[in-house]
Amino acid sequence: MILAPLRGVTIRCFRDVYADEILSAGFTEAITPFISAMRGVDPLKDRELNPLADKVSRIKITPQFIGKDPEALRAALQRVKSAGYECADLNCGCPFPMVRNKGRGSGLLKTPDVLRRIVEVGVETMGEGKFSVKTRLGVDEPSELFSLIDVLNEFPLRFLTVHGRIARQMYDGECDFKAIEKISRLSKNKVIANGDLDWRDGVGMVGRSFIRHLGEMDFSAEALRRYISVSRDELHGDRPVLGRMKELVAYWKDIPKWRSLWPLIKIARSISEFESCL
């Protein structure tokens, strides 16, 4: 079971604070929220890539990159490989319009030639079976990934992760697991399912159900206070810490013990106001 990359949530600081819960749940690997592969930018300076500070060192930490420039990706991968990261992942599924409209994330599904080149660079740089791709079924139609499977089959990937929605769905509607099964039959690479999976099943790439589980724990408020404390050491000022906490608790707003607190948490303007709600 792999911990899914949730932007702003399953970050290194989160993995540090919730290390025991992550390990006891049975996760064997975590994919980092995406890091931009840009020319002249050192990915090792990103807060995500700090293996010495990551207390979940008993599981594999795999950096995920987003971008559409093959040479920028090559440079980024060479840096993380030199730092000891054995594998890397490509974000080919981010559904947000501001990302996909620039040809990154799920936008790569609209440019097969760019997709082919960037995956080729990923495999060349990391080595056979060391580079993976995380994608959606398509941007507008599930048929888009089916038409691209021959491109992905050209390369010996570590695995192909498929989220069972198209990008325009964002996170609405149900996942199409039958489509994922069809893709797995067509793919020469191992296919891992993603989207609406229950962490208790112990398989696939799982994110939201595990995050919800953390909110259901008896000591969820106590753990959240630890997260606040560690985040205060890492960030400067209340505003970024508050934003980080709200992003996490937003996943808990439908849990009975948090439902009545969410309206107050949502409008909190400082950490002290936030903590007074706990």
Side-chain angles (χ1 to χ4, degrees):
M1 188 165 62
I2 301 172
L3 183 62
L6 298 179
R7 189 73 170 166
V9 180
T10 57
I11 55 177
R12 187 199 56 76
C13 185
F14 168 91
R15 300 193 304 268
D16 188 340
V17 171
Y18 289 99
D20 290 342
E21 289 76 22
I22 291 170
L23 292 164
S24 63
F27 288 99
T28 57
E29 181 173 355
I31 306 290
T32 72
F34 68 71
I35 300 163
S36 291
M38 300 174 63
R39 297 196 183 209
V41 177
D42 185 355
L44 295 181
K45 293 183 178 179
D46 192 286
R47 191 179 286 121
E48 276 303 308
L49 300 185
N50 188 352
L52 297 178
D54 204 318
K55 292 185 179 179
V56 201
S57 56
R58 283 173 284 174
I59 69 172
K60 178 189 286 289
I61 303 296
T62 299
Q64 182 189 80
F65 289 93
I66 193 168
K68 61 179 181 179
D69 181 335
E71 293 311 310
L73 178 65
R74 187 193 302 277
L77 293 177
Q78 288 172 338
R79 283 292 284 149
V80 298
K81 189 175 182 180
S82 69
Y85 289 93
E86 297 178 354
C87 301
D89 188 75
L90 173 68
N91 185 314
C92 192
C94 180
F96 291 97
M98 67 174 58
V99 174
R100 72 170 188 256
N101 290 342
K102 294 180 180 178
R104 304 188 301 162
S106 60
L108 284 171
L109 299 175
K110 293 292 190 180
T111 55
D113 290 341
V114 177
L115 175 63
R116 175 183 282 107
R117 180 57 183 146
I118 207 162
V119 174
E120 180 181 41
V121 164
V123 173
E124 282 178 356
T125 308
M126 297 305 296
E128 292 189 7
K130 299 291 186 179
F131 189 70
S132 54
V133 174
K134 186 176 188 295
T135 186
R136 291 230 169 187
L137 292 173
V139 175
D140 301 298
E141 299 290 340
S143 58
E144 291 173 25
L145 183 57
F146 285 89
S147 67
L148 291 170
I149 197 65
D150 286 342
V151 173
L152 296 171
N153 279 343
E154 294 176 19
F155 306 100
L157 300 176
R158 184 176 174 224
F159 51 76
L160 172 66
T161 304
V162 181
H163 183 112
R165 292 181 176 89
I166 60 172
R168 292 196 184 280
Q169 281 182 272
M170 296 294 287
Y171 297 95
D172 296 331
E174 296 183 357
C175 277
D176 189 344
F177 289 107
K178 289 184 178 179
I180 296 177
E181 290 177 6
K182 290 178 182 177
I183 288 292
S184 67
R185 290 196 292 269
L186 296 172
S187 176
K188 292 182 179 179
N189 296 295
K190 179 181 179 180
V191 172
I192 293 179
N194 173 240
D196 296 354
L197 299 176
D198 192 322
W199 71 274
R200 290 168 294 190
D201 292 336
V203 295
M205 187 173 290
V206 182
R208 288 183 292 170
S209 73
F210 175 68
I211 301 303
R212 181 181 173 86
H213 160 67
L214 296 180
E216 294 170 338
M217 299 186 308
D218 292 337
F219 54 94
S220 57
E222 177 186 339
L224 191 60
R225 288 190 180 94
R226 293 202 317 269
Y227 194 20
I228 291 170
S229 177
V230 174
S231 294
R232 272 181 156 163
D233 292 338
E234 181 179 270
L235 303 173
H236 301 289
D238 272 14
R239 187 172 181 178
V241 177
L242 190 60
R244 179 180 284 182
M245 297 307 116
K246 288 183 179 181
E247 195 151 9
L248 174 60
V249 178
Y251 283 85
W252 302 348
K253 61 186 178 183
D254 294 326
I255 298 172
K257 64 189 292 185
W258 291 96
R259 189 179 296 136
S260 61
L261 299 177
W262 175 244
L264 299 173
I265 286 173
K266 185 168 59 173
I267 63 173
R269 294 168 295 178
S270 67
I271 289 298
S272 60
E273 285 185 17
F274 181 93
E275 289 185 303
S276 70
C277 300
L278 303 181

